[in-house]
PDB file of all heavy atoms in Angstrom:
ATOM      1  N   ARG H  49      55.465  91.083 128.124  1.00  0.00           N
ATOM      2  CA  ARG H  49      55.514  90.627 126.732  1.00  0.00           C
ATOM      3  C   ARG H  49      55.899  91.772 125.801  1.00  0.00           C
ATOM      4  O   ARG H  49      56.667  91.590 124.850  1.00  0.00           O
ATOM      5  CB  ARG H  49      54.147  90.060 126.361  1.00  0.00           C
ATOM      6  CG  ARG H  49      54.105  89.348 125.037  1.00  0.00           C
ATOM      7  CD  ARG H  49      52.701  88.895 124.741  1.00  0.00           C
ATOM      8  NE  ARG H  49      52.273  87.821 125.641  1.00  0.00           N
ATOM      9  CZ  ARG H  49      52.192  86.545 125.296  1.00  0.00           C
ATOM     10  NH1 ARG H  49      52.507  86.188 124.073  1.00  0.00           N
ATOM     11  NH2 ARG H  49      51.802  85.635 126.151  1.00  0.00           N
ATOM     12  N   LEU H  53      59.107  92.011 123.357  1.00  0.00           N
ATOM     13  CA  LEU H  53      58.980  92.271 121.922  1.00  0.00           C
ATOM     14  C   LEU H  53      59.843  93.453 121.504  1.00  0.00           C
ATOM     15  O   LEU H  53      60.486  93.441 120.454  1.00  0.00           O
ATOM     16  CB  LEU H  53      57.513  92.547 121.580  1.00  0.00           C
ATOM     17  CG  LEU H  53      57.229  92.967 120.130  1.00  0.00           C
ATOM     18  CD1 LEU H  53      57.708  91.905 119.162  1.00  0.00           C
ATOM     19  CD2 LEU H  53      55.745  93.222 119.939  1.00  0.00           C
ATOM     20  N   THR H  56      63.394  92.330 121.379  1.00  0.00           N
ATOM     21  CA  THR H  56      63.587  91.450 120.230  1.00  0.00           C
ATOM     22  C   THR H  56      63.621  92.237 118.937  1.00  0.00           C
ATOM     23  O   THR H  56      64.361  91.909 118.004  1.00  0.00           O
ATOM     24  CB  THR H  56      62.454  90.414 120.187  1.00  0.00           C
ATOM     25  OG1 THR H  56      62.402  89.744 121.434  1.00  0.00           O
ATOM     26  CG2 THR H  56      62.681  89.411 119.085  1.00  0.00           C
ATOM     27  N   TYR H  69      71.393 103.779 106.854  1.00  0.00           N
ATOM     28  CA  TYR H  69      72.602 104.594 106.965  1.00  0.00           C
ATOM     29  C   TYR H  69      73.551 104.342 105.813  1.00  0.00           C
ATOM     30  O   TYR H  69      74.227 105.268 105.356  1.00  0.00           O
ATOM     31  CB  TYR H  69      73.281 104.348 108.314  1.00  0.00           C
ATOM     32  CG  TYR H  69      72.711 105.244 109.374  1.00  0.00           C
ATOM     33  CD1 TYR H  69      71.552 104.896 110.056  1.00  0.00           C
ATOM     34  CD2 TYR H  69      73.294 106.469 109.649  1.00  0.00           C
ATOM     35  CE1 TYR H  69      71.008 105.744 110.993  1.00  0.00           C
ATOM     36  CE2 TYR H  69      72.759 107.316 110.586  1.00  0.00           C
ATOM     37  CZ  TYR H  69      71.606 106.955 111.257  1.00  0.00           C
ATOM     38  OH  TYR H  69      71.064 107.795 112.178  1.00  0.00           O
ATOM     39  N   ALA H 128      82.187  65.744 100.144  1.00  0.00           N
ATOM     40  CA  ALA H 128      82.538  65.471 101.540  1.00  0.00           C
ATOM     41  C   ALA H 128      81.285  65.290 102.384  1.00  0.00           C
ATOM     42  O   ALA H 128      81.245  64.442 103.282  1.00  0.00           O
ATOM     43  CB  ALA H 128      83.396  66.605 102.087  1.00  0.00           C
ATOM     44  N   GLU H 149      83.842  72.238 112.050  1.00  0.00           N
ATOM     45  CA  GLU H 149      83.367  73.457 112.701  1.00  0.00           C
ATOM     46  C   GLU H 149      84.534  74.323 113.142  1.00  0.00           C
ATOM     47  O   GLU H 149      84.486  75.554 113.062  1.00  0.00           O
ATOM     48  CB  GLU H 149      82.496  73.092 113.903  1.00  0.00           C
ATOM     49  CG  GLU H 149      81.142  72.548 113.509  1.00  0.00           C
ATOM     50  CD  GLU H 149      80.358  72.035 114.699  1.00  0.00           C
ATOM     51  OE1 GLU H 149      80.775  72.307 115.847  1.00  0.00           O
ATOM     52  OE2 GLU H 149      79.339  71.366 114.489  1.00  0.00           O
ATOM     53  N   LEU H 151      87.394  74.429 111.675  1.00  0.00           N
ATOM     54  CA  LEU H 151      87.926  75.034 110.456  1.00  0.00           C
ATOM     55  C   LEU H 151      87.128  76.281 110.106  1.00  0.00           C
ATOM     56  O   LEU H 151      87.687  77.294 109.666  1.00  0.00           O
ATOM     57  CB  LEU H 151      87.864  74.020 109.316  1.00  0.00           C
ATOM     58  CG  LEU H 151      88.461  74.416 107.973  1.00  0.00           C
ATOM     59  CD1 LEU H 151      89.909  74.791 108.121  1.00  0.00           C
ATOM     60  CD2 LEU H 151      88.317  73.284 106.986  1.00  0.00           C
ATOM     61  N   ALA H 153      85.817  78.206 112.191  1.00  0.00           N
ATOM     62  CA  ALA H 153      86.053  79.238 113.200  1.00  0.00           C
ATOM     63  C   ALA H 153      87.385  79.940 113.028  1.00  0.00           C
ATOM     64  O   ALA H 153      87.633  80.940 113.691  1.00  0.00           O
ATOM     65  CB  ALA H 153      85.991  78.612 114.592  1.00  0.00           C
ATOM     66  N   GLU H 200      84.762  48.860  82.960  1.00  0.00           N
ATOM     67  CA  GLU H 200      83.669  47.985  83.380  1.00  0.00           C
ATOM     68  C   GLU H 200      82.440  48.197  82.511  1.00  0.00           C
ATOM     69  O   GLU H 200      81.759  47.244  82.116  1.00  0.00           O
ATOM     70  CB  GLU H 200      83.336  48.251  84.841  1.00  0.00           C
ATOM     71  CG  GLU H 200      82.551  47.142  85.488  1.00  0.00           C
ATOM     72  CD  GLU H 200      83.270  45.811  85.370  1.00  0.00           C
ATOM     73  OE1 GLU H 200      84.461  45.752  85.712  1.00  0.00           O
ATOM     74  OE2 GLU H 200      82.644  44.835  84.914  1.00  0.00           O
ATOM     75  N   MET H 257      88.502  77.349 100.438  1.00  0.00           N
ATOM     76  CA  MET H 257      88.737  76.654 101.696  1.00  0.00           C
ATOM     77  C   MET H 257      87.909  77.245 102.824  1.00  0.00           C
ATOM     78  O   MET H 257      87.451  76.529 103.715  1.00  0.00           O
ATOM     79  CB  MET H 257      90.221  76.725 102.069  1.00  0.00           C
ATOM     80  CG  MET H 257      91.120  75.911 101.183  1.00  0.00           C
ATOM     81  SD  MET H 257      90.635  74.181 101.154  1.00  0.00           S
ATOM     82  CE  MET H 257      90.046  74.010  99.474  1.00  0.00           C
ATOM     83  N   GLY H 286      67.254  46.732  95.990  1.00  0.00           N
ATOM     84  CA  GLY H 286      68.446  46.210  95.356  1.00  0.00           C
ATOM     85  C   GLY H 286      69.415  47.263  94.854  1.00  0.00           C
ATOM     86  O   GLY H 286      70.408  46.930  94.219  1.00  0.00           O
ATOM     87  N   ALA H 290      75.719  53.934  95.791  1.00  0.00           N
ATOM     88  CA  ALA H 290      75.867  55.058  94.874  1.00  0.00           C
ATOM     89  C   ALA H 290      74.538  55.408  94.236  1.00  0.00           C
ATOM     90  O   ALA H 290      74.166  56.578  94.136  1.00  0.00           O
ATOM     91  CB  ALA H 290      76.902  54.717  93.804  1.00  0.00           C
ATOM     92  N   GLU H 291      73.812  54.377  93.803  1.00  0.00           N
ATOM     93  CA  GLU H 291      72.517  54.635  93.179  1.00  0.00           C
ATOM     94  C   GLU H 291      71.550  55.255  94.176  1.00  0.00           C
ATOM     95  O   GLU H 291      70.789  56.166  93.843  1.00  0.00           O
ATOM     96  CB  GLU H 291      71.947  53.332  92.613  1.00  0.00           C
ATOM     97  CG  GLU H 291      72.670  52.872  91.364  1.00  0.00           C
ATOM     98  CD  GLU H 291      72.485  51.392  91.097  1.00  0.00           C
ATOM     99  OE1 GLU H 291      71.803  50.717  91.893  1.00  0.00           O
ATOM    100  OE2 GLU H 291      73.037  50.909  90.097  1.00  0.00           O
ATOM    101  N   TRP H 324      91.656  91.462 100.499  1.00  0.00           N
ATOM    102  CA  TRP H 324      92.422  92.683 100.693  1.00  0.00           C
ATOM    103  C   TRP H 324      93.920  92.386 100.723  1.00  0.00           C
ATOM    104  O   TRP H 324      94.732  93.128 100.167  1.00  0.00           O
ATOM    105  CB  TRP H 324      91.975  93.344 101.998  1.00  0.00           C
ATOM    106  CG  TRP H 324      92.439  94.739 102.187  1.00  0.00           C
ATOM    107  CD1 TRP H 324      92.963  95.585 101.248  1.00  0.00           C
ATOM    108  CD2 TRP H 324      92.416  95.484 103.400  1.00  0.00           C
ATOM    109  NE1 TRP H 324      93.259  96.796 101.800  1.00  0.00           N
ATOM    110  CE2 TRP H 324      92.934  96.764 103.117  1.00  0.00           C
ATOM    111  CE3 TRP H 324      92.003  95.199 104.696  1.00  0.00           C
ATOM    112  CZ2 TRP H 324      93.052  97.753 104.095  1.00  0.00           C
ATOM    113  CZ3 TRP H 324      92.126  96.189 105.664  1.00  0.00           C
ATOM    114  CH2 TRP H 324      92.639  97.438 105.358  1.00  0.00           C
ATOM    115  N   MET H 355      88.809 103.547 102.494  1.00  0.00           N
ATOM    116  CA  MET H 355      88.158 104.404 103.481  1.00  0.00           C
ATOM    117  C   MET H 355      89.178 105.252 104.221  1.00  0.00           C
ATOM    118  O   MET H 355      88.906 106.384 104.610  1.00  0.00           O
ATOM    119  CB  MET H 355      87.352 103.542 104.451  1.00  0.00           C
ATOM    120  CG  MET H 355      86.590 104.319 105.504  1.00  0.00           C
ATOM    121  SD  MET H 355      85.518 105.590 104.826  1.00  0.00           S
ATOM    122  CE  MET H 355      84.212 104.627 104.121  1.00  0.00           C
ATOM    123  N   TYR H 365      84.519 109.277  99.269  1.00  0.00           N
ATOM    124  CA  TYR H 365      83.958 108.708 100.495  1.00  0.00           C
ATOM    125  C   TYR H 365      82.609 108.071 100.221  1.00  0.00           C
ATOM    126  O   TYR H 365      82.331 106.952 100.643  1.00  0.00           O
ATOM    127  CB  TYR H 365      83.839 109.833 101.521  1.00  0.00           C
ATOM    128  CG  TYR H 365      83.142 109.508 102.804  1.00  0.00           C
ATOM    129  CD1 TYR H 365      83.827 108.940 103.865  1.00  0.00           C
ATOM    130  CD2 TYR H 365      81.794 109.820 102.978  1.00  0.00           C
ATOM    131  CE1 TYR H 365      83.193 108.683 105.067  1.00  0.00           C
ATOM    132  CE2 TYR H 365      81.156 109.557 104.165  1.00  0.00           C
ATOM    133  CZ  TYR H 365      81.859 108.990 105.207  1.00  0.00           C
ATOM    134  OH  TYR H 365      81.223 108.740 106.384  1.00  0.00           O
ATOM    135  N   ASN H 383      70.454  85.728 100.751  1.00  0.00           N
ATOM    136  CA  ASN H 383      69.911  85.229 102.013  1.00  0.00           C
ATOM    137  C   ASN H 383      68.460  84.799 101.849  1.00  0.00           C
ATOM    138  O   ASN H 383      68.043  83.750 102.357  1.00  0.00           O
ATOM    139  CB  ASN H 383      70.018  86.329 103.067  1.00  0.00           C
ATOM    140  CG  ASN H 383      70.346  85.771 104.424  1.00  0.00           C
ATOM    141  OD1 ASN H 383      70.369  84.570 104.620  1.00  0.00           O
ATOM    142  ND2 ASN H 383      70.595  86.642 105.366  1.00  0.00           N
ATOM    143  N   GLN H 387      66.947  81.098 102.391  1.00  0.00           N
ATOM    144  CA  GLN H 387      65.833  80.849 103.305  1.00  0.00           C
ATOM    145  C   GLN H 387      64.679  80.165 102.581  1.00  0.00           C
ATOM    146  O   GLN H 387      64.043  79.254 103.113  1.00  0.00           O
ATOM    147  CB  GLN H 387      65.368  82.178 103.900  1.00  0.00           C
ATOM    148  CG  GLN H 387      64.569  82.031 105.169  1.00  0.00           C
ATOM    149  CD  GLN H 387      65.361  81.330 106.255  1.00  0.00           C
ATOM    150  OE1 GLN H 387      66.536  81.591 106.438  1.00  0.00           O
ATOM    151  NE2 GLN H 387      64.718  80.425 106.961  1.00  0.00           N
TER     152      GLN H 387
ATOM    153  N   ARG B  28      78.203  43.818  87.975  1.00  0.00           N
ATOM    154  CA  ARG B  28      79.589  44.141  88.301  1.00  0.00           C
ATOM    155  C   ARG B  28      79.900  45.606  88.004  1.00  0.00           C
ATOM    156  O   ARG B  28      80.609  46.282  88.748  1.00  0.00           O
ATOM    157  CB  ARG B  28      80.522  43.241  87.501  1.00  0.00           C
ATOM    158  CG  ARG B  28      81.979  43.577  87.794  1.00  0.00           C
ATOM    159  CD  ARG B  28      82.899  42.465  87.403  1.00  0.00           C
ATOM    160  NE  ARG B  28      84.272  42.862  87.652  1.00  0.00           N
ATOM    161  CZ  ARG B  28      85.246  41.986  87.926  1.00  0.00           C
ATOM    162  NH1 ARG B  28      84.964  40.692  87.980  1.00  0.00           N
ATOM    163  NH2 ARG B  28      86.459  42.388  88.128  1.00  0.00           N
ATOM    164  N   ALA B  29      79.350  46.092  86.886  1.00  0.00           N
ATOM    165  CA  ALA B  29      79.572  47.499  86.558  1.00  0.00           C
ATOM    166  C   ALA B  29      78.970  48.394  87.635  1.00  0.00           C
ATOM    167  O   ALA B  29      79.552  49.398  88.028  1.00  0.00           O
ATOM    168  CB  ALA B  29      78.965  47.813  85.195  1.00  0.00           C
ATOM    169  N   ARG B  30      77.785  47.993  88.119  1.00  0.00           N
ATOM    170  CA  ARG B  30      77.166  48.798  89.181  1.00  0.00           C
ATOM    171  C   ARG B  30      78.011  48.772  90.445  1.00  0.00           C
ATOM    172  O   ARG B  30      78.148  49.792  91.129  1.00  0.00           O
ATOM    173  CB  ARG B  30      75.768  48.261  89.471  1.00  0.00           C
ATOM    174  CG  ARG B  30      74.778  48.521  88.333  1.00  0.00           C
ATOM    175  CD  ARG B  30      73.499  47.765  88.533  1.00  0.00           C
ATOM    176  NE  ARG B  30      72.842  48.141  89.777  1.00  0.00           N
ATOM    177  CZ  ARG B  30      72.143  47.284  90.525  1.00  0.00           C
ATOM    178  NH1 ARG B  30      72.030  46.015  90.165  1.00  0.00           N
ATOM    179  NH2 ARG B  30      71.558  47.701  91.622  1.00  0.00           N
ATOM    180  N   ASP B  34      79.803  51.861  92.323  1.00  0.00           N
ATOM    181  CA  ASP B  34      79.597  52.100  93.743  1.00  0.00           C
ATOM    182  C   ASP B  34      80.937  52.321  94.446  1.00  0.00           C
ATOM    183  O   ASP B  34      81.090  53.232  95.264  1.00  0.00           O
ATOM    184  CB  ASP B  34      78.864  50.903  94.348  1.00  0.00           C
ATOM    185  CG  ASP B  34      78.462  51.154  95.777  1.00  0.00           C
ATOM    186  OD1 ASP B  34      77.833  52.194  96.030  1.00  0.00           O
ATOM    187  OD2 ASP B  34      78.797  50.327  96.644  1.00  0.00           O
ATOM    188  N   SER B  44      87.551  63.245  98.807  1.00  0.00           N
ATOM    189  CA  SER B  44      87.254  64.646  99.120  1.00  0.00           C
ATOM    190  C   SER B  44      87.526  64.937 100.590  1.00  0.00           C
ATOM    191  O   SER B  44      88.066  65.990 100.931  1.00  0.00           O
ATOM    192  CB  SER B  44      85.805  64.959  98.772  1.00  0.00           C
ATOM    193  OG  SER B  44      84.933  64.251  99.611  1.00  0.00           O
ATOM    194  N   VAL B  51      94.434  69.846 103.193  1.00  0.00           N
ATOM    195  CA  VAL B  51      94.459  71.309 103.097  1.00  0.00           C
ATOM    196  C   VAL B  51      94.504  71.928 104.488  1.00  0.00           C
ATOM    197  O   VAL B  51      95.215  72.906 104.731  1.00  0.00           O
ATOM    198  CB  VAL B  51      93.236  71.797 102.312  1.00  0.00           C
ATOM    199  CG1 VAL B  51      93.096  73.298 102.429  1.00  0.00           C
ATOM    200  CG2 VAL B  51      93.361  71.397 100.863  1.00  0.00           C
ATOM    201  N   LEU B  52      93.749  71.342 105.409  1.00  0.00           N
ATOM    202  CA  LEU B  52      93.764  71.867 106.773  1.00  0.00           C
ATOM    203  C   LEU B  52      95.165  71.783 107.362  1.00  0.00           C
ATOM    204  O   LEU B  52      95.650  72.727 107.997  1.00  0.00           O
ATOM    205  CB  LEU B  52      92.774  71.076 107.629  1.00  0.00           C
ATOM    206  CG  LEU B  52      92.627  71.494 109.093  1.00  0.00           C
ATOM    207  CD1 LEU B  52      92.258  72.950 109.191  1.00  0.00           C
ATOM    208  CD2 LEU B  52      91.577  70.639 109.762  1.00  0.00           C
ATOM    209  N   PHE B 275      57.072  83.285 123.850  1.00  0.00           N
ATOM    210  CA  PHE B 275      56.023  84.288 124.000  1.00  0.00           C
ATOM    211  C   PHE B 275      55.433  84.748 122.677  1.00  0.00           C
ATOM    212  O   PHE B 275      54.346  85.309 122.652  1.00  0.00           O
ATOM    213  CB  PHE B 275      56.566  85.519 124.750  1.00  0.00           C
ATOM    214  CG  PHE B 275      56.909  85.232 126.173  1.00  0.00           C
ATOM    215  CD1 PHE B 275      58.201  84.934 126.550  1.00  0.00           C
ATOM    216  CD2 PHE B 275      55.922  85.244 127.146  1.00  0.00           C
ATOM    217  CE1 PHE B 275      58.506  84.662 127.866  1.00  0.00           C
ATOM    218  CE2 PHE B 275      56.219  84.973 128.464  1.00  0.00           C
ATOM    219  CZ  PHE B 275      57.517  84.681 128.831  1.00  0.00           C
ATOM    220  N   ASN B 290      67.960  86.583 110.220  1.00  0.00           N
ATOM    221  CA  ASN B 290      68.732  85.906 109.169  1.00  0.00           C
ATOM    222  C   ASN B 290      69.473  86.904 108.296  1.00  0.00           C
ATOM    223  O   ASN B 290      70.617  86.673 107.895  1.00  0.00           O
ATOM    224  CB  ASN B 290      67.794  85.069 108.300  1.00  0.00           C
ATOM    225  CG  ASN B 290      67.312  83.833 109.023  1.00  0.00           C
ATOM    226  OD1 ASN B 290      68.042  83.271 109.822  1.00  0.00           O
ATOM    227  ND2 ASN B 290      66.093  83.425 108.752  1.00  0.00           N
ATOM    228  N   THR B 291      68.821  88.027 107.988  1.00  0.00           N
ATOM    229  CA  THR B 291      69.490  89.042 107.178  1.00  0.00           C
ATOM    230  C   THR B 291      70.706  89.595 107.896  1.00  0.00           C
ATOM    231  O   THR B 291      71.766  89.799 107.301  1.00  0.00           O
ATOM    232  CB  THR B 291      68.513  90.182 106.861  1.00  0.00           C
ATOM    233  OG1 THR B 291      67.384  89.642 106.187  1.00  0.00           O
ATOM    234  CG2 THR B 291      69.164  91.229 105.995  1.00  0.00           C
ATOM    235  N   LEU B 302      81.501  99.698 108.002  1.00  0.00           N
ATOM    236  CA  LEU B 302      81.031 100.987 107.486  1.00  0.00           C
ATOM    237  C   LEU B 302      79.860 101.502 108.305  1.00  0.00           C
ATOM    238  O   LEU B 302      79.768 102.699 108.594  1.00  0.00           O
ATOM    239  CB  LEU B 302      80.597 100.832 106.030  1.00  0.00           C
ATOM    240  CG  LEU B 302      81.632 101.063 104.941  1.00  0.00           C
ATOM    241  CD1 LEU B 302      80.919 101.243 103.619  1.00  0.00           C
ATOM    242  CD2 LEU B 302      82.500 102.261 105.222  1.00  0.00           C
ATOM    243  N   ASN B 310      79.696 108.651 113.433  1.00  0.00           N
ATOM    244  CA  ASN B 310      79.329 109.887 112.747  1.00  0.00           C
ATOM    245  C   ASN B 310      77.944 110.394 113.106  1.00  0.00           C
ATOM    246  O   ASN B 310      77.663 111.574 112.918  1.00  0.00           O
ATOM    247  CB  ASN B 310      79.411 109.687 111.228  1.00  0.00           C
ATOM    248  CG  ASN B 310      80.841 109.549 110.762  1.00  0.00           C
ATOM    249  OD1 ASN B 310      81.766 109.843 111.516  1.00  0.00           O
ATOM    250  ND2 ASN B 310      81.031 109.102 109.543  1.00  0.00           N
ATOM    251  N   SER B 311      77.067 109.528 113.587  1.00  0.00           N
ATOM    252  CA  SER B 311      75.712 109.974 113.924  1.00  0.00           C
ATOM    253  C   SER B 311      75.490 110.018 115.424  1.00  0.00           C
ATOM    254  O   SER B 311      75.140 111.053 115.973  1.00  0.00           O
ATOM    255  CB  SER B 311      74.680 109.064 113.274  1.00  0.00           C
ATOM    256  OG  SER B 311      74.699 109.221 111.887  1.00  0.00           O
ATOM    257  N   PHE B 397      87.433 100.521 111.028  1.00  0.00           N
ATOM    258  CA  PHE B 397      87.029 101.921 111.057  1.00  0.00           C
ATOM    259  C   PHE B 397      86.569 102.370 112.423  1.00  0.00           C
ATOM    260  O   PHE B 397      86.347 103.565 112.617  1.00  0.00           O
ATOM    261  CB  PHE B 397      85.876 102.147 110.068  1.00  0.00           C
ATOM    262  CG  PHE B 397      86.128 101.601 108.708  1.00  0.00           C
ATOM    263  CD1 PHE B 397      85.186 100.811 108.084  1.00  0.00           C
ATOM    264  CD2 PHE B 397      87.309 101.874 108.045  1.00  0.00           C
ATOM    265  CE1 PHE B 397      85.414 100.305 106.824  1.00  0.00           C
ATOM    266  CE2 PHE B 397      87.545 101.361 106.787  1.00  0.00           C
ATOM    267  CZ  PHE B 397      86.590 100.575 106.176  1.00  0.00           C
ATOM    268  N   TYR B 425      97.105  91.960 109.972  1.00  0.00           N
ATOM    269  CA  TYR B 425      97.097  92.588 108.649  1.00  0.00           C
ATOM    270  C   TYR B 425      98.163  93.666 108.561  1.00  0.00           C
ATOM    271  O   TYR B 425      98.955  93.720 107.628  1.00  0.00           O
ATOM    272  CB  TYR B 425      95.727  93.206 108.373  1.00  0.00           C
ATOM    273  CG  TYR B 425      95.760  94.176 107.226  1.00  0.00           C
ATOM    274  CD1 TYR B 425      95.720  93.717 105.919  1.00  0.00           C
ATOM    275  CD2 TYR B 425      95.884  95.542 107.440  1.00  0.00           C
ATOM    276  CE1 TYR B 425      95.790  94.595 104.856  1.00  0.00           C
ATOM    277  CE2 TYR B 425      95.962  96.417 106.381  1.00  0.00           C
ATOM    278  CZ  TYR B 425      95.910  95.944 105.097  1.00  0.00           C
ATOM    279  OH  TYR B 425      95.988  96.806 104.060  1.00  0.00           O
ATOM    280  N   VAL B 452      90.859  81.510 119.340  1.00  0.00           N
ATOM    281  CA  VAL B 452      89.561  81.228 118.727  1.00  0.00           C
ATOM    282  C   VAL B 452      89.251  79.733 118.785  1.00  0.00           C
ATOM    283  O   VAL B 452      88.129  79.326 119.108  1.00  0.00           O
ATOM    284  CB  VAL B 452      89.551  81.741 117.276  1.00  0.00           C
ATOM    285  CG1 VAL B 452      88.314  81.270 116.557  1.00  0.00           C
ATOM    286  CG2 VAL B 452      89.617  83.255 117.271  1.00  0.00           C
ATOM    287  N   ASN B 456      86.267  77.659 120.599  1.00  0.00           N
ATOM    288  CA  ASN B 456      85.459  76.720 119.834  1.00  0.00           C
ATOM    289  C   ASN B 456      85.471  75.336 120.468  1.00  0.00           C
ATOM    290  O   ASN B 456      84.445  74.655 120.547  1.00  0.00           O
ATOM    291  CB  ASN B 456      86.003  76.645 118.416  1.00  0.00           C
ATOM    292  CG  ASN B 456      84.898  76.674 117.400  1.00  0.00           C
ATOM    293  OD1 ASN B 456      84.569  75.664 116.812  1.00  0.00           O
ATOM    294  ND2 ASN B 456      84.314  77.837 117.215  1.00  0.00           N
ATOM    295  N   ARG B 463      78.745  71.341 124.389  1.00  0.00           N
ATOM    296  CA  ARG B 463      77.662  70.704 123.642  1.00  0.00           C
ATOM    297  C   ARG B 463      77.672  69.197 123.847  1.00  0.00           C
ATOM    298  O   ARG B 463      76.614  68.559 123.954  1.00  0.00           O
ATOM    299  CB  ARG B 463      77.805  71.031 122.162  1.00  0.00           C
ATOM    300  CG  ARG B 463      76.607  70.614 121.340  1.00  0.00           C
ATOM    301  CD  ARG B 463      76.875  70.779 119.886  1.00  0.00           C
ATOM    302  NE  ARG B 463      77.266  72.134 119.566  1.00  0.00           N
ATOM    303  CZ  ARG B 463      78.125  72.446 118.596  1.00  0.00           C
ATOM    304  NH1 ARG B 463      78.663  71.484 117.874  1.00  0.00           N
ATOM    305  NH2 ARG B 463      78.430  73.684 118.345  1.00  0.00           N
TER     306      ARG B 463
END
Side-chain angles (χ1 to χ4, degrees):
Chain H
R49 190 183 291 256
L53 175 58
T56 306
Y69 273 84
E149 287 173 12
L151 184 57
E200 198 56 50
M257 290 303 112
E291 287 159 359
W324 193 15
M355 182 54 73
Y365 173 86
N383 217 353
Q387 199 59 42
Chain B
R28 179 161 178 152
R30 290 169 60 214
D34 187 52
S44 67
V51 169
L52 181 56
F275 293 96
N290 287 327
T291 302
L302 269 196
N310 290 347
S311 292
F397 310 131
Y425 164 81
V452 171
N456 224 255
R463 190 188 304 147

